[in-house]
Amino acid sequence: MAPPPVPLEQIVGDVVDNLSATAKAELALIEARSELALYGASRAAIWGGVAATAAGVALLALAFGAILVLAPRVGPLLATLIVVSVLLIIAGGAAWRAHIGYGDIRTALRRDLTGEGFDDAADA
């Protein structure tokens, strides 16, 4: 014997309930993912700041050491100019690489990946 037919109104009600539960679950997932991303970003910023500070102090110590090593051979002024020039060349290369990375980020976040239209204020 076949089970009795289920009324259409009940089927529609079940579908709406299932869609509502699915939408609520998706929103909860999106919220959880955003909180995790925020937590990760804040930790990365904190530890990145610590690392950048330590690297800056180490680079400063390296620069002083290089000046002290070069000073007896070429004089303090020329030693300072040599170290500053080398550091500026390194900084310029790093800035150039950072600019390329920024361009990659802009490309990845574009709405119009073909680049044929204007899609943000910077392109207008």
Side-chain angles (χ1 to χ4, degrees), residues 60-122:
L60 188 61
L62 179 67
F64 283 142
I67 291 170
L68 290 175
V69 167
L70 288 173
R73 291 177 177 82
V74 296
L77 180 60
L78 188 56
T80 302
L81 292 176
I82 290 170
V83 171
V84 168
S85 298
V86 169
L87 289 176
L88 286 175
I89 290 170
I90 292 171
W96 174 70
R97 293 295 300 162
H99 180 71
I100 290 173
Y102 173 73
D104 291 344
I105 292 170
R106 280 195 67 198
T107 299
L109 296 178
R110 282 188 102 103
R111 284 179 278 164
D112 177 20
L113 290 178
T114 61
E116 295 172 356
F118 296 114
D119 62 88
D120 61 12

Side-chain angles (χ1 to χ4, degrees), residues 13-75:
D14 289 345
V15 168
V16 168
D17 290 342
N18 287 340
L19 287 175
S20 176
T22 301
K24 287 178 184 175
E26 285 292 327
L27 288 175
L29 177 62
I30 290 169
E31 182 179 341
R33 289 178 69 175
S34 66
E35 288 177 13
L36 178 61
L38 179 62
Y39 177 79
S42 65
R43 292 294 168 232
I46 290 168
W47 288 110
V50 169
T53 302
V57 170
L59 188 59
L60 188 61
L62 179 67
F64 283 142
I67 291 170
L68 290 175
V69 167
L70 288 173
R73 291 177 177 82
V74 296

